[in-house]
Amino acid sequence: LGQFLTLSFFLFGKYDTGDPRQPGTPHFLKGNEKNDYETAIATVGKVLSAYDTDHQHSVWGFGAKYGGVIRHVFQCGPAPEVNGVDGILEAYRSTFRTGLGMSEPTDIEDVVRAAAAKAVQAQSNAQARGGQSYSILLILTDGKITDVNKAANAIRTVCDSPLSIVIIGIGDADFRGMNYLDDMQADRDIVQFVPFNQYRHDKHALSAATLSEIPDQLVGYFLKHGIHPNPPVQQSMDDIAIDDHDENEEFTFY
């Protein structure tokens, strides 16, 4: 493809109101052993990051309280962008070394609008250079959205943006609202919901579920706007990075 694909946001829905520094909460860091969020980041992040053009990702969070103020969108880590999945994991972990606490409501409207605005700007900048850009918003959450109708309206508002949204459900919470966002009617379908536990022992099925709707969404956006694909990007073998992969690796959940 001649498009530049960008995993522009990698967000963590902090629905649980427990202290993330205490054992038993979803974000508790266990040292060398990954919690559920870290496992999802490492596996799903690797699937999507492989298609990112420059492997630079913005990492943001939502649904937290810091300094007595509820933050619906905030940067994770000290840098506006990080490199690869390892950078995403470090940005995630560094967030819980601060005084941040979990807080409701769990709202994604600001997240969706911010991601769409960034995607539109990236496509505009790419077109000015004779290129093309398409973005993916990845949301990880372990709980239900506070107001599904508000989230649905925000998605309908931005559905004409060069953007796909993948929502990963962590754990066994009530994800009926996420399924609604996936199945709802809009001018353009841009949402895919993936229940992570369903695929935790099958990386191939996880990859297929994560990517299943993105190609059609990408092509649909450019066709709708009369934008023809650029010639394929030429790469040498030296440009292709191959990660070590253990086919026998198992996921552990607590």
Side-chain angles (χ1 to χ4, degrees):
L1 289 177
Q3 286 86 12
F4 289 98
L5 189 63
T6 302
L7 180 57
S8 59
F9 281 78
F10 206 111
L11 293 114
F12 314 98
K14 299 174 175 67
Y15 173 79
D16 181 85
T17 55
D19 185 344
R21 285 155 286 275
Q22 295 298 319
T25 56
H27 296 285
F28 178 67
L29 302 178
K30 305 175 183 179
N32 294 330
E33 189 177 312
K34 291 185 177 69
N35 65 27
D36 291 5
Y37 271 83
E38 291 172 303
T39 302
I41 293 166
T43 52
V44 179
K46 182 175 290 187
V47 170
L48 292 177
S49 181
Y51 295 92
D52 188 285
T53 305
D54 62 3
H55 304 291
Q56 297 297 307
H57 313 301
S58 298
V59 187
W60 296 78
F62 66 95
K65 182 179 289 187
Y66 188 81
V69 179
I70 295 176
R71 313 283 181 172
H72 293 301
V73 181
F74 59 92
Q75 179 178 300
C76 295
E81 289 189 329
V82 300
N83 182 258
V85 175
D86 287 343
I88 295 169
L89 283 167
E90 178 53 32
Y92 167 76
R93 291 164 181 156
S94 69
T95 300
F96 296 100
R97 300 186 191 114
T98 68
L100 176 142
M102 306 298 97
S103 179
E104 296 185 85
T106 302
D107 293 331
I108 66 169
E109 303 90 73
D110 291 347
V111 166
V112 168
R113 292 191 178 95
K118 185 168 183 178
V120 169
Q121 187 61 55
Q123 166 62 356
S124 177
N125 293 342
Q127 282 189 304
R129 301 189 301 268
Q132 297 167 359
S133 175
Y134 192 85
S135 299
I136 299 172
L137 166 63
L138 179 60
I139 299 176
L140 277 71
T141 181
D142 58 85
K144 62 183 180 181
I145 296 173
T146 302
D147 192 328
V148 175
N149 289 328
K150 286 175 62 178
N153 289 336
I155 290 168
R156 291 190 181 99
T157 299
V158 306
C159 68
D160 201 35
S161 305
L163 177 72
S164 289
I165 301 172
V166 179
I167 303 174
I168 305 295
I170 306 295
D172 297 310
D174 180 0
F175 291 125
R176 285 176 294 179
M178 307 301 182
N179 283 307
Y180 172 77
L181 296 179
D182 190 352
D183 298 334
M184 72 179 192
Q185 295 296 312
D187 290 342
R188 176 172 158 262
D189 177 23
I190 64 171
V191 177
Q192 168 74 350
F193 172 66
V194 179
F196 188 73
N197 276 4
Q198 183 175 330
Y199 304 101
R200 63 184 181 181
H201 297 301
D202 190 339
K203 289 187 176 182
H204 298 294
L206 174 64
S207 298
T210 301
L211 297 171
S212 63
E213 297 184 12
I214 292 175
D216 287 344
Q217 292 169 355
L218 183 153
V219 171
Y221 170 80
F222 285 108
L223 287 178
K224 180 178 180 180
H225 291 270
I227 303 172
H228 299 287
N230 288 336
V233 175
Q234 300 299 320
Q235 288 184 306
S236 69
M237 291 301 294
D238 293 336
D239 296 325
I240 301 175
I242 301 177
D243 292 329
D244 293 333
H245 176 63
D246 182 359
E247 291 288 348
N248 297 317
E249 180 181 352
E250 290 288 340
F251 302 151
T252 303
F253 288 76
Y254 295 88

